[in-house]
Amino acid sequence: MVLRIVRAGLVAALYVALVLAFAPLSFGAVQFRVAEVLTLLPFFWPEAVWGLGVGCVLSNLFGGFGLVDVLFGSLATLAAAWLSSRARTLVGAAIPPVVVNGLVVGGYLSWLTQTPWYLSIPYVALGEAGVCFALGIPLFRWLGRFEVFRKEGPKTS
């Protein structure tokens, strides 16, 4: 139990750190939010779902889109993370963040920035796909060699 809480807290802290470290790319109508690579963690650690949700709330407090971004962006990341935790494969875990964030975040960014939805949704989805598929899958395939990142989790005996 303690390990799961610590992991969730570390995921939240790392998410915030990555969003802020790459702040110019993390916010705006066109996004490449490097921290979203962490949305693949729930595939390995279900407790990462809550860490991502908290991390996204805290990160979006620093963004330029206010309460809409804090509420809907964080709920989108939370939903995508939960769906990723239910995936059967790592590639399957990368799909929900692309689809959910593309539709939800792209949808409200279209409204907030007065950008046509047919541009905003693909921009967000493409940025998310770049992070999840180009960065996330190779990273977590490599990390998957370590016991702590194996789907079945660490052995206790």
Side-chain angles (χ1 to χ4, degrees):
M1 178 66 163
V2 172
L3 176 62
R4 290 180 179 202
I5 293 169
V6 169
R7 277 186 184 161
L10 288 172
V11 170
L14 186 55
Y15 189 96
V16 172
L18 287 170
V19 167
L20 296 179
F22 295 97
L25 300 173
S26 298
F27 301 103
V30 178
Q31 297 183 8
F32 190 81
R33 189 175 273 200
V34 175
E36 287 288 306
V37 74
L38 300 175
T39 59
L40 298 180
L41 273 175
F43 177 73
F44 301 98
W45 301 334
E47 61 272 18
V49 171
W50 295 110
L52 289 165
V54 169
C56 194
V57 166
L58 295 172
S59 298
N60 286 345
L61 289 171
F62 294 100
F65 294 107
L67 188 58
V68 171
D69 202 22
V70 172
L71 180 63
F72 293 108
S74 301
L75 286 173
T77 293
L78 189 63
W82 181 79
L83 290 168
S84 292
S85 76
R86 314 292 292 169
R88 292 179 183 248
T89 65
L90 185 57
V91 171
I95 294 170
V98 174
V99 173
V100 173
N101 285 305
L103 291 172
V104 175
V105 176
Y108 72 74
L109 285 180
S110 169
W111 176 67
L112 291 172
T113 63
Q114 300 301 305
T115 304
W117 66 268
Y118 56 85
L119 294 176
S120 185
I121 289 173
Y123 284 157
V124 173
L126 285 172
E128 194 78 18
V131 171
C132 290
F133 286 95
L135 296 178
I137 289 177
L139 173 66
F140 285 106
R141 280 195 175 143
W142 178 76
L143 288 173
R145 299 180 315 152
F146 302 98
E147 186 173 350
V148 72
F149 284 104
R150 291 197 186 125
K151 179 65 175 159
E152 66 273 7
K155 306 266 188 281
T156 55
S157 56

